[in-house]
mmCIF file of all heavy atoms in Angstrom:
data_model
loop_
_atom_site.group_PDB
_atom_site.id
_atom_site.type_symbol
_atom_site.label_atom_id
_atom_site.label_comp_id
_atom_site.label_asym_id
_atom_site.label_seq_id
_atom_site.Cartn_x
_atom_site.Cartn_y
_atom_site.Cartn_z
ATOM 1 N N LEU A 36 -5.481 20.924 8.216
ATOM 2 C CA LEU A 36 -6.985 20.977 8.400
ATOM 3 C C LEU A 36 -7.410 20.796 9.710
ATOM 4 O O LEU A 36 -6.853 20.030 10.460
ATOM 5 C CB LEU A 36 -7.671 19.958 7.423
ATOM 6 C CG LEU A 36 -7.766 20.138 6.027
ATOM 7 C CD1 LEU A 36 -8.471 19.017 5.349
ATOM 8 C CD2 LEU A 36 -8.535 21.491 5.580
ATOM 9 N N PRO A 37 -8.334 21.665 10.204
ATOM 10 C CA PRO A 37 -8.917 21.355 11.579
ATOM 11 C C PRO A 37 -9.588 20.093 11.469
ATOM 12 O O PRO A 37 -10.164 19.554 10.556
ATOM 13 C CB PRO A 37 -9.983 22.550 11.676
ATOM 14 C CG PRO A 37 -9.587 23.529 10.683
ATOM 15 C CD PRO A 37 -8.874 22.735 9.540
ATOM 16 N N ASP A 38 -9.516 19.387 12.681
ATOM 17 C CA ASP A 38 -10.035 18.058 12.761
ATOM 18 C C ASP A 38 -11.547 18.017 12.443
ATOM 19 O O ASP A 38 -11.961 16.958 11.800
ATOM 20 C CB ASP A 38 -9.934 17.476 14.195
ATOM 21 C CG ASP A 38 -8.506 17.112 14.495
ATOM 22 O OD1 ASP A 38 -7.674 16.951 13.577
ATOM 23 O OD2 ASP A 38 -8.209 16.843 15.664
ATOM 24 N N GLY A 39 -12.224 19.019 12.746
ATOM 25 C CA GLY A 39 -13.771 19.019 12.309
ATOM 26 C C GLY A 39 -13.931 18.960 10.774
ATOM 27 O O GLY A 39 -14.880 18.328 10.436
ATOM 28 N N LEU A 40 -13.023 19.579 10.043
ATOM 29 C CA LEU A 40 -13.138 19.382 8.618
ATOM 30 C C LEU A 40 -12.702 18.049 8.133
ATOM 31 O O LEU A 40 -13.253 17.475 7.276
ATOM 32 C CB LEU A 40 -12.324 20.497 7.951
ATOM 33 C CG LEU A 40 -12.965 21.795 7.803
ATOM 34 C CD1 LEU A 40 -12.064 22.812 7.062
ATOM 35 C CD2 LEU A 40 -14.300 21.696 7.028
ATOM 36 N N ARG A 41 -11.520 17.663 8.765
ATOM 37 C CA ARG A 41 -11.042 16.271 8.359
ATOM 38 C C ARG A 41 -11.812 15.137 8.633
ATOM 39 O O ARG A 41 -12.130 14.277 7.871
ATOM 40 C CB ARG A 41 -9.615 16.193 8.941
ATOM 41 C CG ARG A 41 -8.532 15.878 8.090
ATOM 42 C CD ARG A 41 -7.270 15.616 8.638
ATOM 43 N NE ARG A 41 -7.000 16.383 9.822
ATOM 44 C CZ ARG A 41 -5.800 16.263 10.487
ATOM 45 N NH1 ARG A 41 -4.900 15.485 10.050
ATOM 46 N NH2 ARG A 41 -5.595 16.994 11.539
ATOM 47 N N PHE A 42 -12.395 15.195 9.860
ATOM 48 C CA PHE A 42 -13.186 13.989 10.450
ATOM 49 C C PHE A 42 -14.688 14.271 10.289
ATOM 50 O O PHE A 42 -15.443 13.335 10.212
ATOM 51 C CB PHE A 42 -12.774 13.602 11.721
ATOM 52 C CG PHE A 42 -11.293 13.268 11.900
ATOM 53 C CD1 PHE A 42 -10.396 14.109 12.455
ATOM 54 C CD2 PHE A 42 -10.804 12.057 11.396
ATOM 55 C CE1 PHE A 42 -9.034 13.688 12.559
ATOM 56 C CE2 PHE A 42 -9.525 11.676 11.445
ATOM 57 C CZ PHE A 42 -8.629 12.586 12.026
ATOM 58 N N GLY A 43 -15.002 15.525 10.450
ATOM 59 C CA GLY A 43 -16.534 15.801 10.428
ATOM 60 C C GLY A 43 -17.033 15.906 9.034
ATOM 61 O O GLY A 43 -17.925 15.002 8.641
ATOM 62 N N PHE A 44 -16.665 17.065 8.322
ATOM 63 C CA PHE A 44 -17.189 17.198 6.974
ATOM 64 C C PHE A 44 -16.547 16.320 5.999
ATOM 65 O O PHE A 44 -17.085 15.782 5.027
ATOM 66 C CB PHE A 44 -17.129 18.672 6.545
ATOM 67 C CG PHE A 44 -17.969 19.480 7.328
ATOM 68 C CD1 PHE A 44 -17.503 20.219 8.497
ATOM 69 C CD2 PHE A 44 -19.216 19.787 6.860
ATOM 70 C CE1 PHE A 44 -18.422 20.960 9.284
ATOM 71 C CE2 PHE A 44 -20.134 20.603 7.523
ATOM 72 C CZ PHE A 44 -19.667 21.218 8.792
ATOM 73 N N GLY A 45 -15.239 16.191 6.102
ATOM 74 C CA GLY A 45 -14.429 15.372 5.167
ATOM 75 C C GLY A 45 -14.429 16.147 3.767
ATOM 76 O O GLY A 45 -15.074 17.115 3.544
ATOM 77 N N LEU A 46 -13.610 15.578 2.907
ATOM 78 C CA LEU A 46 -13.496 16.243 1.523
ATOM 79 C C LEU A 46 -14.686 15.715 0.692
ATOM 80 O O LEU A 46 -15.032 14.497 0.777
ATOM 81 C CB LEU A 46 -12.196 15.818 0.914
ATOM 82 C CG LEU A 46 -10.915 16.474 1.284
ATOM 83 C CD1 LEU A 46 -10.360 15.869 2.477
ATOM 84 C CD2 LEU A 46 -9.938 16.655 0.212
ATOM 85 N N PRO A 47 -15.197 16.578 -0.127
ATOM 86 C CA PRO A 47 -16.314 16.109 -0.980
ATOM 87 C C PRO A 47 -15.686 15.083 -1.958
ATOM 88 O O PRO A 47 -14.541 15.123 -2.205
ATOM 89 C CB PRO A 47 -16.612 17.408 -1.783
ATOM 90 C CG PRO A 47 -16.231 18.484 -0.929
ATOM 91 C CD PRO A 47 -15.045 18.015 -0.233
ATOM 92 N N SER A 48 -16.509 14.116 -2.384
ATOM 93 C CA SER A 48 -16.029 13.051 -3.202
ATOM 94 C C SER A 48 -15.195 13.472 -4.425
ATOM 95 O O SER A 48 -14.295 12.895 -4.766
ATOM 96 C CB SER A 48 -17.125 12.049 -3.539
ATOM 97 O OG SER A 48 -18.092 12.773 -4.348
ATOM 98 N N ASP A 49 -15.713 14.508 -5.101
ATOM 99 C CA ASP A 49 -15.031 14.952 -6.331
ATOM 100 C C ASP A 49 -13.551 15.567 -5.970
ATOM 101 O O ASP A 49 -12.639 15.250 -6.729
ATOM 102 C CB ASP A 49 -15.772 16.002 -7.107
ATOM 103 C CG ASP A 49 -16.062 17.264 -6.394
ATOM 104 O OD1 ASP A 49 -16.325 17.186 -5.162
ATOM 105 O OD2 ASP A 49 -16.191 18.368 -7.005
ATOM 106 N N VAL A 50 -13.505 16.286 -4.805
ATOM 107 C CA VAL A 50 -12.150 16.728 -4.380
ATOM 108 C C VAL A 50 -11.248 15.569 -3.937
ATOM 109 O O VAL A 50 -10.112 15.505 -4.201
ATOM 110 C CB VAL A 50 -12.379 17.794 -3.218
ATOM 111 C CG1 VAL A 50 -11.079 18.183 -2.746
ATOM 112 C CG2 VAL A 50 -13.223 18.987 -3.751
ATOM 113 N N LEU A 51 -11.926 14.678 -3.168
ATOM 114 C CA LEU A 51 -11.173 13.507 -2.725
ATOM 115 C C LEU A 51 -10.488 12.707 -3.927
ATOM 116 O O LEU A 51 -9.399 12.406 -3.939
ATOM 117 C CB LEU A 51 -12.011 12.541 -1.886
ATOM 118 C CG LEU A 51 -11.431 11.204 -1.477
ATOM 119 C CD1 LEU A 51 -10.251 11.356 -0.528
ATOM 120 C CD2 LEU A 51 -12.420 10.281 -0.871
ATOM 121 N N ASN A 52 -11.393 12.399 -4.948
ATOM 122 C CA ASN A 52 -10.936 11.675 -6.121
ATOM 123 C C ASN A 52 -9.837 12.455 -6.798
ATOM 124 O O ASN A 52 -8.828 11.791 -7.251
ATOM 125 C CB ASN A 52 -12.033 11.434 -7.018
ATOM 126 C CG ASN A 52 -13.007 10.442 -6.552
ATOM 127 O OD1 ASN A 52 -12.693 9.641 -5.623
ATOM 128 N ND2 ASN A 52 -14.274 10.475 -6.892
ATOM 129 N N ALA A 53 -9.841 13.797 -6.956
ATOM 130 C CA ALA A 53 -8.913 14.591 -7.634
ATOM 131 C C ALA A 53 -7.614 14.554 -6.815
ATOM 132 O O ALA A 53 -6.539 14.457 -7.358
ATOM 133 C CB ALA A 53 -9.335 16.008 -7.743
#
Side-chain angles (χ1 to χ4, degrees):
L36 279 179
D38 286 345
L40 278 180
R41 236 186 319 187
F42 299 107
F44 288 93
L46 281 87
S48 61
D49 60 325
V50 174
L51 175 65
N52 292 336

